[in-house]
Amino acid sequence: MTEHLHPATARTVPLDDQEKATARPALRVVHETAGIDIAAAEAAAGRFLDALGISTASESLRGTPGRMARAYAELFAPRSFDLTTFPNDEGYDELVLARRIPVRTVCEHHLLPIVGTAHVGYLPGTRILGLSKLARVVEHFACRPQVQERLTKQVADWLQTHLEPKGVGVVIEAEHSCMTLRGVRATGSSTMTSTLLGILRSDARSRGEFLALTGAAH
C-alpha cells in the first residue's frame, strides 16, 4: 500500500488564518501490486481446470479460464481513494458508527469467498472523517487473500494511526465458503471478530455502547 499526500481541492473562498493552521491535505491511498498478467493467469486457470478433469473445449466453458483470471484480478484490486478529514470544529465527542458495510474477500487458505458485513466506528479527536472513507478502508484491506482476524485488526489499526481518534472499534461478521461449501459444510454459520482500541477498549460504557449498536453484544 502506498500513501501519498494529495493536494486538497482548490477553494474559491480564501482561507483565514485559523483555517490555514488546521487545513490538512488529503492522504492518497493507493494499493501497489507487482503487476497483473491476465494472459498468464488465464493460461494457468486453463491448466488448473484441466488438471481437475474439467474440459474447457465446449463453447460454454471455452472462455471460463479468462473469466476466472479477470474475476480474481478484480477481487484483488482495491480502488484508490483520498482519505479526507475535516476539523472537528464543534468538538463532537460521541460515537460515529457506519454499520453494515459490505465485506467481500477470499480466504487465503482456499481462495474461496468470504462475504459479510463490517461495523466500523470511532470516537473523534481533533479531526472527523468523510463517512464513505470508512467503507473505502474496509475495501482496501479486503481486496487481497485474507483471514478475518487480520482484516479486522488491519482496519482498526490503520484508522487509529491515520485519524488519531480517541477510540476505534471494528466488528466483522461473515460467512466463509471454505467452511460452508466444503469440509465441515456448516451451512448458515458465520464468524464474528472484533478489534477495540483506545477508549472503546478501556472504558466499559463506551465499549458497551459500541457493541450494542453493532449487535455484537447480543
Side-chain angles (χ1 to χ4, degrees):
M1 174 176 64
T2 300
E3 298 155 6
H4 303 288
L5 287 179
H6 182 70
T9 302
R11 293 179 52 175
T12 56
V13 179
L15 296 173
D16 60 26
D17 291 339
Q18 183 177 2
E19 286 178 313
K20 289 178 181 177
T22 58
R24 181 183 296 183
L27 186 71
R28 184 66 173 171
V29 182
V30 180
H31 179 69
E32 285 187 335
T33 66
I36 297 175
D37 189 336
I38 293 294
E42 180 177 351
R47 292 193 299 271
F48 173 74
L49 293 171
D50 188 54
L52 292 177
I54 300 173
S55 173
T56 58
S58 69
E59 182 179 351
S60 60
L61 285 170
R62 193 172 300 133
T64 295
R67 287 188 288 267
M68 286 177 59
R70 291 188 295 273
Y72 276 100
E74 181 180 340
L75 284 171
F76 298 150
R79 294 168 290 182
S80 301
F81 68 96
D82 293 332
L83 188 76
T84 47
T85 65
F86 309 94
N88 186 11
D89 293 330
E90 302 301 321
Y92 185 81
D93 61 358
E94 297 294 334
L95 185 65
V96 178
L97 175 64
R99 299 194 301 173
R100 294 186 289 276
I101 297 170
V103 173
R104 61 110 175 94
T105 184
V106 295
C107 164
E108 68 178 28
H109 302 132
H110 302 93
L111 289 191
L112 288 173
I114 299 172
V115 179
T117 56
H119 311 292
V120 182
Y122 70 98
L123 288 168
T126 60
R127 311 285 296 181
I128 57 176
L129 181 66
L131 288 177
S132 67
K133 308 311 177 187
L134 294 174
R136 293 286 196 183
V137 174
V138 171
E139 177 191 281
H140 184 82
F141 286 104
C143 284
R144 64 197 71 179
Q146 272 287 13
V147 296
Q148 186 173 325
E149 297 88 341
R150 182 197 302 129
L151 173 60
T152 307
K153 193 169 189 307
Q154 283 177 332
V155 172
D157 287 346
W158 198 89
L159 288 170
Q160 184 68 36
T161 297
H162 292 282
L163 187 58
E164 298 179 347
K166 296 177 181 178
V168 172
V170 179
V171 171
I172 296 178
E173 183 173 7
E175 180 176 306
H176 293 239
S177 298
C178 58
M179 183 176 174
T180 60
L181 298 181
R182 57 158 299 281
V184 69
R185 298 183 184 178
T187 304
S189 67
S190 63
T191 300
M192 182 174 287
T193 51
S194 65
T195 295
L196 304 175
L197 302 175
I199 292 177
L200 289 182
R201 183 180 183 92
S202 62
D203 180 70
R205 185 193 69 83
S206 298
R207 182 173 65 250
E209 178 187 10
F210 173 77
L211 293 175
L213 289 173
T214 63
H218 299 304

